Amino acid sequence: MTDIQGSSPSRRALIGWTGAGLALGAAVAGGAVAAANAGNDVDPAAAEAGGAVEFHGAHQAGVATPVQDRLHFAAFDVKTDDRAEFVQMLKDWTAAARRMTAGQAIGEGAYGGLAEAPPDDTGEALGLKPSRLTLTIGFGPSLFDKFGLRDKRPEALVDLPKFPGDNLDRSRTGGDLCVQACADDPQVAVHAIRNLARIGFGKVAIRWSQLGFGKTSSTTPDAQTPRNLFGFKDGTRNIAGTEEDRLKKFVWVGDGDGPEWMTGGSYLVARRIRMNVETWDRTSLQEQEDVFGRDKREGAPVGRAKEHDEPFLKAMKPDAHVRLAHPDSNDGITILRRGYSFTDGTDGLGRLDAGLFFLAYQRDVRKGFIPLQRRLAAHDALNEYIQHVGSALFAIPPGVRDSGDWWGRTLLSEEA
Amino acid sequence: MTDIQGSSPSRRALIGWTGAGLALGAAVAGGAVAAANAGNDVDPAAAEAGGAVEFHGAHQAGVATPVQDRLHFAAFDVKTDDRAEFVQMLKDWTAAARRMTAGQAIGEGAYGGLAEAPPDDTGEALGLKPSRLTLTIGFGPSLFDKFGLRDKRPEALVDLPKFPGDNLDRSRTGGDLCVQACADDPQVAVHAIRNLARIGFGKVAIRWSQLGFGKTSSTTPDAQTPRNLFGFKDGTRNIAGTEEDRLKKFVWVGDGDGPEWMTGGSYLVARRIRMNVETWDRTSLQEQEDVFGRDKREGAPVGRAKEHDEPFLKAMKPDAHVRLAHPDSNDGITILRRGYSFTDGTDGLGRLDAGLFFLAYQRDVRKGFIPLQRRLAAHDALNEYIQHVGSALFAIPPGVRDSGDWWGRTLLSEEA
């Protein structure tokens, strides 16, 4: 168990400027810091208190952590050619992430007295609870074309194939880096991404970003699955954050998987899936239930009574979503889903620009998302009502071990 | 005090289809329905319980109601020329709004057994709490060009003038109708707008819509003001929902104000204000505090110690935002603010498309927003960092009195 406060046990104020006669002190109403990441334990008490999730650990938080209510996800492109500058930015990001996830403002009071300098923290999360904020970094395939990293690109970090029906918008696809910010308070998640973008100014720039307002998956054992924007529960049999055996088998990169710098990491697929809600809303209940292979009210598989009852796949239509996506139809393929519903206003035709921002973690995308999506893209009855419009794949490095460690060290340090 | 359940005391299931052997029953986990609108009383207990806000009353809920955490706002254009069809849609909307604000699914189980029909409710809010949902309707100036309503257009429903610095995007401006959905759970707010759009299909179409993720104003007495995306508390001296005298003086349309159909209503100004957060984040703390006329940490006016201390305006720079916007600088002009922060991803240049969706209610916009904004647009130091990019004005009719009443009756009924 590491010192979760790192080297800064005292909580310092955002505004250290005493010129206005303000007392220095604890300005941040931080909740208790819970050990909800170390060993990926679930700590429901921390959740209820709006508390903090441990930033340090063998794995990054935000994967097996119980799913928070809101999301701000950003993909960045690297703008600098200077490896040392990029490494320093990752260290600065890590320091900021360590403080923000603990509910603290960025900056160690380093600008005390400097009214002439921009504040180290933009301030809009001041006074808000930590809200279980997790920040999870990932490295996209294109990063490995830079900084002499070509030889370090994992074989599993493939270029995703084009699937039938894909209609990808380049401006919502790819990215050298990503940061997934999840929190129970959206202002806390938005604050985190905005401050990382600010710290990275001149070195990285946001390529695209996505807000998610409602979680569609649960990684808490036996919890009710939240409904997606089609009104259905989907992905009932998710991997729970407490299922260490399944996490080890399906999510975390193992010792022999290679490359070594990825051990303890994972691979993240992000897909922006537009849902044609207006069309869906005009289809009959029977059609909707046939498409999913579930009843709408309970979320029970066809012919069963409750959401978590074992599905009888052969009772469903051959193209039913549950039947096609179930591990029993896919040689046991299982991924950990953390998707969120989104609504980005209205398109030019008065239709809601709404859907599912699909996020899935897996040990190897070649044995996870790719074969699964090949099957779904070819056969799923749901395809009539959805379209994949954005896509990205990222290598998620292992966790930051302690207060001296930093995001990407295993990939980028001189000793690595 | 009206019967808040209207004529349907029993909570009916969303899915009345018994063909699958499902029991009918109370499918909606509704919280207690609190009388938080009648007389505009504040009921913090209802808020904590995720309860319901009373839909019926002399005034519409969502104006003086304590500000909820999240917003989905939609402006609609009318597509039908048939007045009777439009009136029927308003009646259908009212029935749906009555049920949704009570935490119930739409539809009285009217399609029991009809698996062949689309469900009356899209379902994604099923199982969620009422979450203090309020739905507030408004009529834009352009509506009065239709349905023979020209003579009923209030004089106060002016065409807003062009203010210095306005850079309005037509696709985010105007609208024949609006619905403001506020709730503590964004999925509940999104569900409400989506279902009203669905019910209105063919009669109205969404012109633009806006999600707000963080409230920036409080209408609860003495509450701390939430921070905007510049990290500041702004609009500290808002009208509280309990201040009946100030509501009567500044917000509600009075008996002699005219026209009669608006008595008990209000006028809503909506402005999408883009905030150039990247530029702001690179300015010094001193400049930021000078611009607002407040200290950043506490939100105290210049030279004072606490947010709610009375500001000494002459201690501020002449162009400070607080100084220019304060009622003492504006012949006592006071508006009720209910704005929300928004972040709509990233623009083409990698900058956050973020800002304030400003919502302000007033008795007469000619004595409220217009003179205030004339002054701010001409002089406010904040103008260097913001831009108004969307705008609309709506007449907010009085409340729906009881279960037989409907949105717009005072304007559109044959007896009106």
Side-chain angles (χ1 to χ4, degrees):
Chain A
M1 184 69 200
T2 54
D3 167 16
I4 52 89
Q5 300 282 355
S7 54
S8 59
S10 70
R11 296 199 168 194
R12 304 289 285 273
L14 162 67
I15 310 292
W17 176 38
T18 54
L22 297 173
L24 278 166
V28 181
V33 177
N37 184 35
N40 302 299
D41 294 331
V42 175
D43 187 332
E48 283 172 31
V53 174
E54 171 62 62
F55 178 70
H56 301 115
H59 312 294
Q60 288 194 72
V63 181
T65 308
V67 183
Q68 300 95 325
D69 291 343
R70 320 285 169 227
L71 169 80
H72 194 184
F73 189 97
F76 295 85
D77 282 338
V78 172
K79 297 297 179 188
T80 180
D81 295 326
D82 183 337
R83 178 169 168 147
E85 188 178 52
F86 180 62
V87 165
Q88 186 57 50
M89 186 205 75
L90 290 173
K91 291 178 178 174
D92 293 343
W93 271 15
T94 309
R98 187 178 283 126
R99 290 189 67 87
M100 291 191 289
T101 54
Q104 299 169 318
I106 300 168
E108 300 278 353
Y111 56 100
L114 289 182
E116 299 76 15
D120 284 346
D121 188 297
T122 57
E124 72 271 24
L126 195 64
L128 302 180
K129 293 178 181 171
S131 307
R132 293 199 297 142
L133 174 67
T134 55
L135 294 167
T136 312
I137 198 169
F139 302 135
S142 51
L143 181 70
F144 295 84
D145 297 336
K146 302 177 170 70
F147 307 128
L149 293 172
R150 197 171 295 266
D151 295 344
K152 299 224 172 177
R153 179 171 167 174
E155 278 182 38
L157 191 67
V158 299
D159 295 309
L160 285 177
K162 182 175 174 4
F163 298 99
D166 274 5
N167 186 16
L168 303 184
D169 176 351
R170 273 204 60 202
S171 67
R172 294 187 187 272
T173 294
D176 295 333
L177 294 173
C178 76
V179 178
Q180 171 195 281
C182 295
D184 291 330
D185 184 331
Q187 183 128 337
V188 170
V190 168
H191 168 266
I193 294 294
R194 180 238 191 127
N195 276 273
L196 295 180
R198 184 179 56 80
I199 291 167
F201 180 74
K203 288 149 279 197
V204 296
I206 290 182
R207 181 182 173 89
W208 52 271
S209 72
Q210 181 68 55
L211 257 74
F213 68 81
K215 61 183 178 183
T216 60
S217 304
S218 171
T219 54
T220 305
D222 305 322
Q224 290 284 304
T225 303
R227 291 175 189 272
N228 61 27
L229 289 181
F230 285 159
F232 276 78
K233 302 176 181 183
D234 185 36
T236 287
R237 186 78 185 97
N238 207 4
I239 300 174
T242 49
E243 293 181 291
E244 294 197 14
D245 288 352
R246 292 179 85 210
L247 287 169
K248 192 173 171 189
K249 185 171 180 189
F250 295 117
V251 177
W252 304 127
V253 175
D255 256 335
D257 293 345
E260 201 180 335
W261 71 266
M262 274 295 290
T263 302
S266 190
Y267 293 91
L268 168 63
V269 172
R271 304 279 286 187
R272 189 175 193 269
I273 305 176
R274 174 82 185 264
M275 292 162 70
N276 301 319
V277 295
E278 289 82 2
T279 310
W280 179 260
D281 289 348
R282 292 195 291 277
T283 63
S284 72
L285 178 61
Q286 181 73 66
E287 160 80 358
Q288 294 185 5
E289 297 192 334
D290 285 347
V291 164
F292 273 98
R294 292 182 191 279
D295 92 278
K296 192 164 191 175
R297 185 174 153 206
E298 283 291 332
V302 166
R304 305 300 189 188
K306 293 288 175 192
E307 180 195 343
H308 290 287
D309 290 350
E310 195 58 37
F312 180 53
L313 299 180
K314 290 185 176 162
M316 300 174 189
K317 301 216 167 184
D319 59 357
H321 180 70
V322 167
R323 181 166 179 173
L324 288 167
H326 196 275
D328 288 356
S329 306
N330 294 282
D331 300 322
I333 290 175
T334 304
I335 53 181
L336 185 152
R337 274 149 300 119
R338 274 196 141 255
Y340 287 82
S341 292
F342 70 83
T343 301
D344 293 338
T346 315
D347 70 11
L349 299 170
R351 299 176 304 201
L352 280 180
D353 180 5
L356 171 67
F357 189 65
F358 173 92
L359 293 170
Y361 288 88
Q362 58 238 281
R363 184 174 173 181
D364 189 334
V365 72
R366 295 166 300 179
K367 299 172 186 165
F369 177 77
I370 292 176
L372 193 61
Q373 181 58 18
R374 278 224 166 92
R375 191 172 162 89
L376 289 173
H379 303 294
D380 191 353
L382 203 48
N383 293 334
E384 193 176 335
Y385 305 98
I386 63 174
Q387 194 165 54
H388 288 235
V389 295
S391 176
L393 174 62
F394 300 97
I396 305 297
V400 172
R401 294 174 311 182
D402 54 36
S403 60
D405 198 7
W406 46 279
W407 268 339
R409 179 189 53 80
T410 60
L411 173 64
L412 284 151
S413 84
E414 295 304 321
E415 302 88 58
Chain B
M1 185 72 202
T2 55
D3 168 15
I4 54 89
Q5 300 281 356
S7 55
S8 59
S10 70
R11 297 197 167 196
R12 303 291 283 272
L14 163 68
I15 310 293
W17 176 37
T18 55
L22 299 172
L24 276 167
V28 181
V33 177
N37 183 35
N40 302 300
D41 295 331
V42 176
D43 188 331
E48 283 171 31
V53 173
E54 170 63 63
F55 178 70
H56 302 114
H59 312 295
Q60 289 194 73
V63 182
T65 309
V67 182
Q68 301 94 326
D69 291 343
R70 319 283 169 230
L71 168 81
H72 194 186
F73 189 97
F76 295 85
D77 282 337
V78 172
K79 297 296 180 188
T80 179
D81 295 325
D82 183 337
R83 178 169 168 145
E85 188 177 51
F86 180 62
V87 165
Q88 185 58 48
M89 185 205 76
L90 289 173
K91 290 178 178 174
D92 294 343
W93 271 15
T94 309
R98 186 178 283 126
R99 289 189 68 87
M100 291 191 288
T101 54
Q104 301 169 320
I106 300 169
E108 301 278 353
Y111 54 97
L114 289 181
E116 299 76 14
D120 284 345
D121 188 298
T122 57
E124 72 272 22
L126 196 63
L128 302 181
K129 292 178 180 173
S131 307
R132 294 199 298 142
L133 174 68
T134 56
L135 295 167
T136 312
I137 199 170
F139 302 135
S142 51
L143 181 70
F144 295 84
D145 297 336
K146 303 177 168 70
F147 306 130
L149 292 173
R150 197 171 296 263
D151 296 344
K152 299 224 172 177
R153 177 170 169 175
E155 278 183 36
L157 191 67
V158 297
D159 296 309
L160 285 178
K162 182 174 176 4
F163 298 99
D166 274 6
N167 185 17
L168 303 183
D169 176 352
R170 273 203 61 202
S171 68
R172 294 187 187 273
T173 295
D176 295 335
L177 294 172
C178 76
V179 178
Q180 170 196 281
C182 296
D184 291 330
D185 185 332
Q187 185 129 334
V188 169
V190 168
H191 168 264
I193 293 293
R194 181 240 191 123
N195 275 274
L196 294 180
R198 184 180 55 81
I199 292 168
F201 180 75
K203 288 149 280 197
V204 295
I206 290 183
R207 179 180 174 89
W208 53 270
S209 71
Q210 181 68 56
L211 256 74
F213 68 80
K215 61 183 178 182
T216 60
S217 305
S218 169
T219 55
T220 306
D222 305 320
Q224 289 285 303
T225 303
R227 291 175 190 270
N228 61 28
L229 290 182
F230 285 158
F232 275 79
K233 302 177 180 183
D234 185 36
T236 287
R237 187 74 185 98
N238 207 2
I239 300 174
T242 49
E243 294 182 290
E244 294 199 12
D245 288 352
R246 293 178 85 210
L247 287 168
K248 193 172 170 187
K249 185 169 178 189
F250 295 117
V251 177
W252 303 127
V253 175
D255 256 336
D257 294 344
E260 201 181 335
W261 71 266
M262 273 294 291
T263 302
S266 190
Y267 293 92
L268 168 63
V269 172
R271 304 279 285 187
R272 188 175 195 268
I273 305 176
R274 174 81 185 265
M275 292 161 71
N276 302 320
V277 295
E278 290 82 3
T279 311
W280 179 260
D281 288 348
R282 290 196 291 276
T283 63
S284 71
L285 177 60
Q286 180 73 65
E287 160 79 359
Q288 293 185 6
E289 297 193 335
D290 285 348
V291 164
F292 272 98
R294 291 182 193 277
D295 92 278
K296 192 164 189 175
R297 184 172 153 206
E298 282 291 332
V302 168
R304 305 299 192 191
K306 292 287 175 191
E307 181 195 342
H308 290 288
D309 291 350
E310 192 60 36
F312 179 53
L313 299 180
K314 289 185 178 162
M316 300 173 188
K317 299 215 168 186
D319 59 356
H321 180 69
V322 167
R323 182 167 177 173
L324 287 167
H326 196 276
D328 288 356
S329 307
N330 294 282
D331 300 324
I333 291 174
T334 305
I335 54 181
L336 185 153
R337 273 150 299 120
R338 272 193 143 260
Y340 287 82
S341 292
F342 68 84
T343 300
D344 292 339
T346 315
D347 70 12
L349 299 171
R351 298 174 305 200
L352 281 179
D353 181 5
L356 170 67
F357 190 65
F358 173 93
L359 294 169
Y361 288 88
Q362 59 237 282
R363 185 173 174 182
D364 189 333
V365 72
R366 296 167 299 178
K367 299 171 186 166
F369 177 76
I370 292 176
L372 192 61
Q373 181 57 19
R374 279 225 164 92
R375 190 172 163 89
L376 289 173
H379 302 294
D380 190 352
L382 203 49
N383 292 334
E384 192 177 336
Y385 304 100
I386 64 174
Q387 193 165 56
H388 288 236
V389 296
S391 176
L393 173 63
F394 299 98
I396 306 297
V400 172
R401 293 174 311 181
D402 54 37
S403 60
D405 198 6
W406 45 280
W407 269 338
R409 178 191 50 82
T410 61
L411 172 64
L412 284 151
S413 85
E414 295 304 322
E415 303 89 55

